[in-house]
Amino acid sequence: MTCNDWIAHFLANDPPRSKSLVVTIFGDAIVPHGGMVWLGSLINLLEPFGVNDRLLRTSVFRLAQEGWLGAQRDGRRSSYSITPAAMARFSRAYQRIYAPLSRHWDGSWTLVLSGAGNISAAERAALRKELLWEGYSLAAPGVFSHPAADAQVLQQLLTRTGVKDKLFVCQAGALPEAGGRPLRELVEDGWDLSGVVRGYEGFMAQFEPLLALLKEAAALALLKEAAALAPQQAFIIRSLLIHAYRRVQLHDPQLPVELLPAPWPGAQAYELARAIYQLSYAPAEQYIMATLRREDEQAAEADASFYERFGGLH
């Protein structure tokens, strides 16, 4: 099997949904280059995945309706960029994707308590959705908890949902004198990690053969003093990698290392994603830049933060 065979098999058996793939490519490929893309360039970027012009236009229209993308016109041309309102959540999601497992537990839990009817039903639904997406558990009616909450992210979340001054937020620790179960056991009560484990295992089963093919191609290219991957081929691989990894990783509640079962497949999946990204990112960047500059000669090179992904690209 070759890398092209792997790509063809992936696209035939697990084709990405166009709308979700647009989100992946915006986060992985467009944001590092300034966050704006002309529609023609976006069409070119999606074309290798079998996403046609009509399907792409429908996808970006829906993302614009949902507030993720903003559109601008310049004569007969249109461009799209992530809206300021969506950028915070977008950035947060991609920080999670590219960051190594580094959360540690200090023995406490962050609790978010809604109190007695201080928020409306709509606010409560929005809050629940956002907190669960951030990995919080519903510990009891009106009580959300997490053992490694990011205070800044929580503050942004509460502000975004309009409930910042309507809730109680505190940290809680064990009271040894009172006895009781160890607080680490709250993980077993609050999260069913079996689905996340299966997701990581499925990701590894799908991408481990690709890593072997990439290493083989790199070794062969070294002997021939040639490129291991063509730019478009590398872009497809990098995009499919992040798309598949994102689908699994964003269901991970991001618990501290000390509270995860060992061995944790998320750590193995991260190292696999990192290895494939290292082998594909540079030629993929060539393809991205060539595509963007067909419509915009001034398209920016990737910013410095791009090279900090996965602990540092080289």
Side-chain angles (χ1 to χ4, degrees):
M1 177 183 281
T2 66
C3 290
N4 281 335
D5 293 332
W6 184 93
I7 291 170
H9 183 269
F10 188 108
L11 292 176
N13 291 275
D14 190 17
R17 291 185 299 111
S18 59
K19 180 180 162 188
S20 183
L21 185 60
V22 169
V23 172
T24 294
I25 288 177
F26 253 94
D28 187 66
I30 305 302
V31 168
H33 294 276
M36 186 280 285
V37 62
W38 292 101
L39 180 59
S41 296
L42 192 58
I43 289 170
N44 292 152
L45 289 173
L46 273 289
E47 191 175 25
F49 303 93
V51 178
N52 60 35
D53 185 329
R54 180 187 58 79
L55 198 53
L56 176 63
R57 289 175 186 272
T58 300
S59 297
V60 294
F61 175 75
R62 288 176 178 169
L63 288 167
Q65 278 190 317
E66 294 168 8
W68 288 98
L69 298 180
Q72 289 187 323
R73 293 195 66 84
D74 180 9
R76 300 180 64 182
R77 299 196 304 166
S78 299
S79 66
Y80 287 88
S81 57
I82 299 168
T83 63
M87 183 56 82
R89 184 168 176 180
F90 221 95
S91 299
R92 171 65 179 152
Y94 280 86
Q95 285 171 6
R96 286 176 54 171
I97 289 167
Y98 303 113
L101 291 172
S102 58
R103 291 191 179 192
H104 292 281
W105 192 44
D106 64 4
S108 68
W109 287 71
T110 296
L111 303 179
V112 179
L113 300 88
S114 61
N118 292 325
I119 61 177
S120 68
E123 289 172 332
R124 192 180 302 275
L127 176 66
R128 177 188 174 91
K129 180 180 178 181
E130 292 272 358
L131 286 172
L132 292 179
W133 188 85
E134 277 294 338
Y136 282 73
S137 166
L138 183 60
V143 180
F144 290 88
S145 65
H146 199 286
D150 184 313
Q152 183 179 5
V153 170
L154 179 58
Q155 189 265 350
Q156 292 171 352
L157 185 158
L158 298 179
T159 300
R160 187 166 62 247
T161 52
V163 297
K164 182 173 178 288
D165 299 319
K166 301 179 182 180
L167 301 173
F168 302 100
V169 180
C170 62
Q171 277 194 309
L175 191 62
E177 296 80 2
R181 294 169 59 190
L183 285 183
R184 65 171 51 246
E185 293 182 8
L186 275 172
V187 169
E188 299 172 16
D189 294 341
W191 289 271
D192 178 4
L193 296 176
S194 59
V196 179
V197 168
R198 286 193 300 272
Y200 279 132
E201 290 173 344
F203 170 81
M204 289 188 287
Q206 195 169 35
F207 282 86
E208 280 172 348
L210 174 62
L211 179 58
L213 291 170
L214 289 172
K215 288 180 176 179
E216 183 181 326
L220 190 60
L222 190 61
L223 289 174
K224 295 182 177 181
E225 297 184 352
L229 288 172
Q232 186 188 68
Q233 185 185 39
F235 169 70
I236 296 170
I237 286 172
R238 180 177 129 183
S239 300
L240 291 178
L241 169 76
I242 294 304
H243 188 73
Y245 186 56
R246 178 174 74 90
R247 286 193 301 176
V248 179
Q249 207 268 352
L250 293 183
H251 288 93
D252 187 330
Q254 302 284 289
L255 299 176
V257 174
E258 295 84 356
L259 300 182
L260 291 169
W264 176 239
Q268 299 166 270
Y270 175 83
E271 291 302 326
L272 174 60
R274 181 177 183 272
I276 295 174
Y277 206 86
Q278 288 279 10
L279 291 169
S280 62
Y281 84 88
E285 279 299 298
Q286 295 175 23
Y287 183 77
I288 292 165
M289 287 306 305
T291 303
L292 295 180
R293 285 184 172 168
R294 287 177 199 164
E295 287 200 87
D296 181 5
E297 293 180 356
Q298 303 302 315
E301 297 279 354
D303 60 27
S305 66
F306 171 77
Y307 294 96
E308 297 171 2
R309 292 177 172 182
F310 287 108
L313 302 175
H314 56 77

